[in-house]
Amino acid sequence: MSLLQIQNMTKTFGGLCAVSDFSIAIEGNELMALIGPNGAGKTTVFNLVSGFYSPTEGSLVFKGKSLAGLKPHQVTALGIARTFQNIRLWHDMTVLENIQISQHYNLGYNLVDAFLRTRRYMGNEKRIADRGYEILEALDLRQFAEEMPKNLPYGLQRRVEIARALSINPALLLLDEPAAGLNSSDVNDLIKLIGWIHKEFKIAIWMIEHQMDVVMSLCSWIKVVDFGVTIAEGTPEQIQNNPDVIKAYLGDENI
């Protein structure tokens, strides 16, 4: 069974069909991309997988369990982590605290423990802090642990967001336009980082990305949507030369 199996998923908002009859299977160590023009429905797909929306039709199964009706924190607890196109860090908390707060779904203690600072509270707080330092070390961010994210360059902020997602030990990492807002140097660093994460953490990565050099450098399989409908899927070479994809991005006059 695939790690993530989506079958015939459709999402409508009133009379608007944002995603239509979408199907995909992602295995345990794949690196795949979902691409398409602006407004194609890509982020809606990610919002459906991560529990922000519920599908109008179809099924989503992760590790053999249905995601239907689950809230985002419940999806996270199953092992799906994500980043966002617009970086969503808490800028008045330190980098380490941003990593630690991702553990809220798995604290291991209750309000009474926190108030009384019980042994269970102290032990779990140490576990969370240790995990935070471990992931910062792995992503070469340890020196920024006590820094506020708002004081870091944009490329490092993106790295912190990815570190926070990895801190939950996901089996599937969703990256929503990780190269958005990055300069060419940062994009090259991002390509190396994602490739390293895929190899080192041995997890599945599914990304939405507009920068084709990122997609073509990293992904073995690409799915293309336009106006919520799948128009193509295949290897980078197949997608690059697909006339339907070229038409969706460039228009009829460029075919």
Side-chain angles (χ1 to χ4, degrees), residues 28 37 76 222:
T76 298
I222 302 168

Side-chain angles (χ1 to χ4, degrees), residues 107-122:
L107 285 176
Y109 59 80
N110 56 37
L111 185 61
V112 174
D113 290 318
F115 182 76
L116 297 177
R117 302 179 69 83
T118 63
R119 180 177 298 178
R120 181 164 62 173
Y121 166 81
M122 298 300 291

Side-chain angles (χ1 to χ4, degrees), residues 57-116:
E57 297 177 13
S59 64
L60 297 90
V61 177
F62 180 70
K63 293 182 178 179
K65 299 179 180 179
S66 173
L67 299 180
L70 296 186
K71 302 299 182 184
H73 71 277
Q74 295 172 314
V75 173
T76 298
L78 287 178
I80 298 178
R82 72 172 291 183
T83 66
F84 295 85
Q85 178 182 351
N86 299 313
I87 294 175
R88 299 186 183 182
L89 296 172
W90 288 275
H91 288 290
D92 293 322
M93 303 174 70
T94 68
V95 166
L96 178 61
E97 288 168 341
N98 268 272
I99 304 300
Q100 290 174 308
I101 203 168
S102 67
Q103 305 295 312
H104 73 280
Y105 76 96
N106 187 31
L107 285 176
Y109 59 80
N110 56 37
L111 185 61
V112 174
D113 290 318
F115 182 76
L116 297 177

Side-chain angles (χ1 to χ4, degrees), residues 38-54:
N38 287 328
K42 306 180 297 297
T43 295
T44 300
V45 170
F46 273 21
N47 285 337
L48 286 160
V49 173
S50 51
F52 289 95
Y53 299 150
S54 295

Side-chain angles (χ1 to χ4, degrees), residues 170-197:
L172 173 61
L173 176 62
L174 307 177
L175 300 175
D176 191 347
E177 297 195 34
L182 301 183
N183 60 40
S184 58
S185 176
D186 286 338
V187 169
N188 290 333
D189 288 343
L190 178 73
I191 291 172
K192 294 175 184 176
L193 175 64
I194 294 173
W196 178 82
I197 289 170

Side-chain angles (χ1 to χ4, degrees), residues 12-57:
T12 59
F13 298 94
L16 172 66
C17 185
V19 176
S20 177
D21 198 30
F22 184 95
S23 297
I24 197 169
I26 298 178
E27 305 304 328
N29 193 32
E30 286 193 290
L31 208 170
M32 302 174 64
L34 178 62
I35 69 171
N38 287 328
K42 306 180 297 297
T43 295
T44 300
V45 170
F46 273 21
N47 285 337
L48 286 160
V49 173
S50 51
F52 289 95
Y53 299 150
S54 295
T56 306
E57 297 177 13

